[in-house]
Amino acid sequence: MNQIEELKSSGLKATLPRIRILEVFQKATVRHMTAEDVFKILLNEGADIGLATVYRVLMQFEQAGILSRNHFESGKSVFELNEGQHHDHLVCMTCGRVEEFFDPDIETRQRAIAQARGFELQEHSLALYATCVRAQCEHRLKSPSSTPSPVGGER
């Protein structure tokens, strides 16, 4: 489905800012982006789309189910395409890189815990915060400084 069809099927008009922002997510090499990340990409591409418009469109996309929003410990919202598949996140506290994972044992255990306590699990979000221990981590090496980057997007 192309961008225009996807927007229309979500009940949104296919405006140029919406099409461009959806393209950013569909073509990105990183899955988790802040509004500022999207704005910088658009700026580098020469698009005349302001930061306020980016924020507004991201909220509209989230409400329409096109994007999912996560709030990691940095306090910044990060967005990713909602592809309908549940996954959890592993977040590096040094460089901010986010890796997705799915573990059926964890999913089964979470449902069992909820049930044992008299709950029926409706949805959940799991983020594990860790520090990469690889000596030659390519994401840490790309960081512009040795201080930790804000958590929330792959680098």
Side-chain angles (χ1 to χ4, degrees):
M1 182 180 311
N2 71 29
Q3 293 89 358
I4 294 173
E5 291 169 353
E6 186 166 354
L7 290 171
K8 287 183 179 179
S9 72
S10 298
L12 296 171
K13 286 178 64 176
T15 63
L16 183 60
R18 288 179 182 150
I19 291 169
R20 294 294 301 272
I21 291 169
L22 185 55
E23 285 175 347
V24 166
F25 281 92
Q26 290 174 333
K27 295 177 180 177
T29 58
V30 295
R31 285 195 36 89
H32 303 88
M33 291 185 279
T34 65
E36 292 82 5
D37 295 333
V38 174
F39 177 69
K40 287 176 188 172
I41 291 169
L42 291 168
L43 203 60
N44 289 338
E45 292 177 353
D48 188 23
I49 299 172
L51 184 57
T53 300
V54 171
Y55 273 104
R56 186 176 63 252
V57 170
L58 293 177
M59 296 303 116
Q60 293 167 347
F61 283 2
E62 180 189 14
Q63 290 174 347
I66 295 171
L67 297 178
S68 296
R69 179 176 20 175
N70 291 289
H71 304 279
F72 297 124
E73 291 297 316
S74 70
K76 288 188 174 189
S77 294
V78 293
F79 297 86
E80 64 182 300
L81 283 175
N82 180 359
E83 297 173 332
Q85 298 288 341
H86 171 76
H87 58 267
D88 296 310
H89 297 96
L90 186 60
V91 183
C92 179
M93 295 183 67
T94 302
C95 70
R97 184 171 52 96
V98 178
E99 281 194 25
E100 297 174 357
F101 70 94
F102 177 80
D103 185 307
D105 293 336
I106 291 175
E107 299 303 316
T108 299
R109 187 72 183 120
Q110 289 175 124
R111 283 191 297 279
I113 290 168
Q115 187 177 26
R117 289 168 172 73
F119 291 89
E120 183 178 327
L121 191 61
Q122 300 297 313
E123 64 180 74
H124 76 277
S125 174
L126 175 64
L128 303 175
Y129 296 91
T131 303
C132 176
V133 295
R134 293 177 288 198
Q136 297 299 315
C137 173
E138 66 276 9
H139 300 286
R140 187 172 50 241
L141 295 174
K142 289 180 188 175
S143 295
S145 70
S146 59
T147 58
S149 302
V151 173
E154 296 96 339
R155 299 276 188 267

